[in-house]
Amino acid sequence: MSFDALSEVLTGVGGAGIGGLATGLFGRRKAKADEAAVLSSVAVSLVQPLHNEIAGLRDELGTVRTELAAHKRATEEREAARRVAMVAHTEWDTNMAGRLRDAGFDVPEPPPLSAA
């Protein structure tokens, strides 16, 4: 085989080797990119339901907070009305006990309506 023929064979093999090496390198990069895409897709499929659940829980929390505020307002209103009624009832009890005593009945003092 002549030097020129050998040179052409080596050039052809070298070109193919370099081409194969380049294809292998780029192929690995593409495979890694594909793997990354698959991992990203899996991550999204795992995280999306959690994200949806958290969004639902936030909505539910907002509803619960609104309901709690309404209950607190209603409780405060009932407590204010109870206090007014207690004052009126205490005055009435004291007044009635005084009238009964004035009428000659032995009546003890009315009991307190609350411990406080």
Side-chain angles (χ1 to χ4, degrees):
M1 186 181 294
S2 73
F3 180 73
D4 289 333
L6 183 60
S7 172
E8 286 181 25
V9 168
L10 289 175
T11 302
V13 170
I18 291 173
L21 180 63
T23 302
L25 286 175
F26 289 120
R28 285 180 70 193
R29 286 185 184 166
K30 183 176 181 336
K32 286 189 178 198
D34 290 345
E35 289 173 12
V38 168
L39 289 175
S40 294
S41 176
V42 168
V44 167
S45 70
L46 293 174
V47 170
Q48 189 62 44
L50 294 174
H51 174 72
N52 293 342
E53 186 174 348
I54 288 171
L57 290 172
R58 283 184 178 152
D59 291 343
E60 188 176 342
L61 178 61
T63 301
V64 168
R65 284 180 173 165
T66 300
E67 290 174 359
L68 178 60
H71 285 293
K72 282 182 176 180
R73 277 191 304 278
T75 299
E76 289 168 359
E77 289 170 3
R78 279 192 306 273
E79 182 61 21
R82 186 190 65 77
R83 276 190 243 108
V84 168
M86 274 183 48
V87 168
H89 202 299
T90 300
E91 288 174 5
W92 185 85
D93 287 350
T94 304
N95 186 9
M96 291 308 292
R99 284 181 167 185
L100 288 169
R101 282 188 205 105
D102 291 345
F105 294 96
D106 184 23
V107 179
E109 285 296 315
L113 293 176
S114 68

